[in-house]
């Protein structure tokens, strides 16, 4: 182990990127469905709020994917979880 490589403890926390990915996908799907239902029911303000939250979920997905790609460049060949 070199000085530039951090030591991993056995009980060290791992990255929560996969959990964030799952939650962002869930938020995107539910907010999109709620926005469509709200506009269909004629509640425009609620539809706009849900659409804005869906856009926030999309931005979060982009940030998560960029961080996952950066992690793969730092540690090539290392699999961090089931989803990678």
């Amino acid at each position: 182990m070199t000085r530039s490589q951090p030591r991993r403890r056995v009980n060290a926390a791992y990255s929560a990127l996969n959990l964030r990915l799952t939650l962002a996908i869930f938020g995107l799907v539910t907010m999109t469905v709620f926005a469509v239902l709200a506009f269909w029911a004629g509640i425009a303000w609620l539809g706009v709020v849900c659409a804005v939250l869906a856009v926030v979920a999309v931005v979060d997905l982009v940030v998560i994917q960029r961080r996952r790609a950066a992690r793969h460049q730092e540690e090539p060949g290392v699999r961090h979880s089931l989803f990678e």
Side-chain angles (χ1 to χ4, degrees):
M1 182 180 304
T2 64
R3 196 167 175 81
S4 64
Q5 294 174 335
R7 292 185 193 166
R8 276 256 182 200
R9 296 183 321 228
V10 174
N11 59 354
Y14 291 102
S15 174
L17 287 177
N18 292 326
L19 177 61
R20 280 184 60 193
L21 178 68
T22 305
L23 291 174
I25 291 171
F26 176 75
L28 175 63
V29 170
T30 54
M31 287 299 109
T32 303
V33 168
F34 287 160
V36 169
L37 291 175
F39 284 123
W40 182 71
I43 309 171
W45 67 269
L46 184 59
V48 169
V49 169
C50 290
V52 167
L53 290 175
V55 169
V56 169
V58 168
V59 170
D60 194 28
L61 283 170
V62 170
V63 170
I64 292 166
Q65 287 303 105
R66 287 181 55 133
R67 288 187 180 175
R68 290 175 75 200
R71 183 167 64 183
H72 282 293
Q73 287 178 354
E74 289 176 3
E75 302 171 355
V78 177
R79 291 185 52 126
H80 292 278
S81 72
L82 178 66
F83 300 108
E84 296 184 64

